[in-house]
Amino acid sequence: MSIVKTPARAPRARRSPEAARENILAAAERLLTEKGPQALKLTDVAAAAGIAHATVLHHFGSIADVQTALMERMIRQLVAQILAEGAVAADPQGRVGQGARVLFDAFGDRGAARLAAWLELTGESRRLTMAREAVREVIANRLAPEGVDPAVAEDMVLVSVILAMGVGLFGRSLSELMGRPPDTARGLALDLLRRLLPAEGA
Amino acid sequence: MSIVKTPARAPRARRSPEAARENILAAAERLLTEKGPQALKLTDVAAAAGIAHATVLHHFGSIADVQTALMERMIRQLVAQILAEGAVAADPQGRVGQGARVLFDAFGDRGAARLAAWLELTGESRRLTMAREAVREVIANRLAPEGVDPAVAEDMVLVSVILAMGVGLFGRSLSELMGRPPDTARGLALDLLRRLLPAEGA
DNA sequence: GCTCTTATCAACAAAAATGTCAATAGTGAA
DNA sequence: TTCACTATTGACATTTTTGTTGATAAGAGC
């Protein structure tokens, strides 16, 4: 009669549903920023989260729902980051420069820019609805400079956001591609906005 | 005894290897611009090209090779488009404005900007090598303004390219997201460069 | 302790995507 | 016309990815 020693097994972790979802989404976000959207496979996300893939399905229903939840989470984080910046400068020019820096910071960490690109490439209307609301909220609460013609202010915000996303997504690669330090593009773009936007408001 | 009428069947097309590859890549490019990189599945590409998926494999070996070939084809097209522009203006400012417009045109059709984002998101070194050479070629042959400090010129090119890619990728969506005509961002960005770059060269 | 809920997981099943192969059929050359 | 070459294809096979199910176990409440 053989005596089989029960293999030592790590005790099964049991999280609250909220913690479990958070753990999964955090792992998914890591995968997204490190390997790109195509790496968000059910099995890979589960492995990155250290759980069985069935558990992922238990909490989200499908891998598509995981992706949607991740998008929404990242959009919320991005909005929060932009809105959480400190006191605002009094003069319009100061506000503009500050707003630009906030934008570049928000899209500076690779995740946010990649999120935007992912949204653009896949472009599903359901997800874009939330993005639209986020844009509205940020513009209304944080970026709209006072003392400037609203139409002009909108133009400034629009081009600033696009530049920030472009730098966030392509800045490092292109800088290095041209043999420059990785944050070269970021500095140049900030200079561009700092020097031009006040003139536009005048 | 049943008489089975042979079903009418379209005669089997037989292309030259070059034409077959071209047909497949054209279909893949359509898929990429319309549905995004994640739509480049073997079966879907074959269906879009109107052939059996085995034929795709016969010509390319694997779906990954199709994707690589498509990237290289699109990079070549992009470089050709940028280099093919007409006579260049004599003065540095004119050259700069012209170069910017060429860039915005090249990244204006959705495909090129999506290609760049795709490259960035997936980021494989093998593919990036070709992108690097393309960037070098374009800068050397077309975009480098004469009569300007080379270091400054490089800065101008770098920020211009990033802005052009940002506008190409996000411009339409963001413009409409803010309730403006779809080419609003493009116009604003061109204005931005037109007004700033000559000043930087001075 | 006991029970009840349910987060967790292994095993299985289904679907999707990719790849293999032998047969078929255009096409140019002999 | 005949033949050799090979682009093309349907059928099959393999791998990858996703989803299902029943059993297990962690923890909360009693």
Side-chain angles (χ1 to χ4, degrees):
Chain A
M1 156 184 318
S2 66
I3 299 182
V4 178
K5 188 203 284 191
T6 303
R9 179 193 300 261
R12 183 190 282 185
R14 184 189 175 102
R15 297 173 233 254
S16 71
E18 302 76 35
R21 289 174 59 99
E22 166 62 28
N23 174 48
I24 292 166
L25 290 180
E29 182 171 349
R30 238 176 296 135
L31 276 184
L32 173 66
T33 60
E34 289 170 7
K35 316 224 178 194
Q38 79 285 356
L40 289 181
K41 308 290 186 187
L42 176 58
T43 307
D44 297 343
V45 170
I51 59 179
H53 78 271
T55 305
V56 175
L57 293 175
H58 172 74
H59 286 289
F60 287 93
S62 76
I63 184 61
D65 287 343
V66 173
Q67 295 168 349
T68 299
L70 176 60
M71 284 188 183
E72 295 181 348
R73 192 181 101 122
M74 291 183 69
I75 290 177
R76 275 195 303 273
Q77 288 176 344
L78 184 62
V79 170
Q81 181 181 350
I82 292 177
L83 295 184
E85 285 295 316
V88 291
D91 60 311
Q93 298 196 3
R95 283 184 64 114
V96 169
Q98 219 173 25
R101 212 173 322 112
V102 169
L103 269 185
F104 276 70
D105 284 343
F107 286 105
D109 63 76
R110 312 275 290 152
R114 294 194 155 213
L115 166 70
W118 182 25
L119 274 168
E120 184 61 46
L121 288 178
T122 60
E124 298 182 16
S125 54
R126 176 180 48 140
R127 294 164 174 173
L128 284 185
T129 298
M130 180 170 182
R132 159 177 282 126
E133 290 166 7
V135 169
R136 291 243 167 80
E137 180 181 357
V138 167
I139 291 176
N141 293 336
R142 189 66 180 70
L143 289 180
E146 296 168 354
V148 179
D149 175 14
V152 175
E154 258 200 1
D155 287 355
M156 294 161 57
V157 169
L158 177 53
V159 74
S160 299
V161 168
I162 288 179
L163 188 55
M165 295 196 301
V167 169
L169 185 60
F170 300 113
R172 291 178 173 276
S173 300
L174 256 192
S175 294
E176 293 179 348
L177 215 61
M178 295 181 64
R180 311 289 294 276
D183 57 348
T184 304
R186 179 198 154 94
L188 290 173
L190 267 176
D191 277 352
L192 188 70
L193 289 185
R194 261 200 290 267
R195 261 183 294 162
L196 191 86
L197 289 182
E200 188 164 353
Chain B
M1 149 181 330
S2 64
I3 299 182
V4 177
K5 188 204 285 189
T6 303
R9 180 191 301 260
R12 185 190 280 186
R14 184 190 176 101
R15 298 172 230 256
S16 71
E18 303 77 32
R21 288 174 60 97
E22 166 61 28
N23 174 48
I24 292 167
L25 291 180
E29 183 172 350
R30 238 177 296 136
L31 275 183
L32 172 67
T33 61
E34 288 171 8
K35 314 223 181 197
Q38 78 285 353
L40 289 181
K41 307 292 184 187
L42 175 60
T43 308
D44 296 344
V45 170
I51 60 180
H53 77 269
T55 305
V56 175
L57 293 175
H58 171 74
H59 287 289
F60 287 94
S62 75
I63 184 62
D65 287 342
V66 174
Q67 294 168 352
T68 299
L70 175 60
M71 283 187 183
E72 296 180 348
R73 190 181 102 122
M74 290 182 70
I75 291 177
R76 274 196 303 273
Q77 288 176 344
L78 184 62
V79 170
Q81 180 180 352
I82 292 177
L83 295 185
E85 284 296 317
V88 292
D91 59 313
Q93 297 196 5
R95 284 185 65 113
V96 169
Q98 216 173 30
R101 212 172 322 114
V102 168
L103 268 184
F104 276 71
D105 284 344
F107 285 104
D109 62 79
R110 314 273 289 151
R114 293 191 157 215
L115 166 70
W118 183 24
L119 275 168
E120 183 62 44
L121 288 179
T122 60
E124 297 180 16
S125 54
R126 173 182 48 141
R127 294 164 174 173
L128 285 185
T129 299
M130 180 169 183
R132 158 176 283 127
E133 290 165 7
V135 169
R136 291 243 169 79
E137 181 181 357
V138 166
I139 291 176
N141 292 337
R142 187 66 179 70
L143 289 180
E146 294 169 355
V148 178
D149 174 14
V152 175
E154 258 200 0
D155 288 355
M156 293 162 56
V157 169
L158 177 53
V159 75
S160 299
V161 169
I162 288 179
L163 188 56
M165 295 197 299
V167 169
L169 186 60
F170 300 113
R172 290 175 175 276
S173 300
L174 257 192
S175 294
E176 293 180 347
L177 216 61
M178 294 180 65
R180 310 289 294 276
D183 57 347
T184 303
R186 178 196 154 96
L188 290 173
L190 268 177
D191 276 352
L192 188 70
L193 289 185
R194 261 200 289 267
R195 261 183 293 163
L196 190 87
L197 290 181
E200 187 163 352

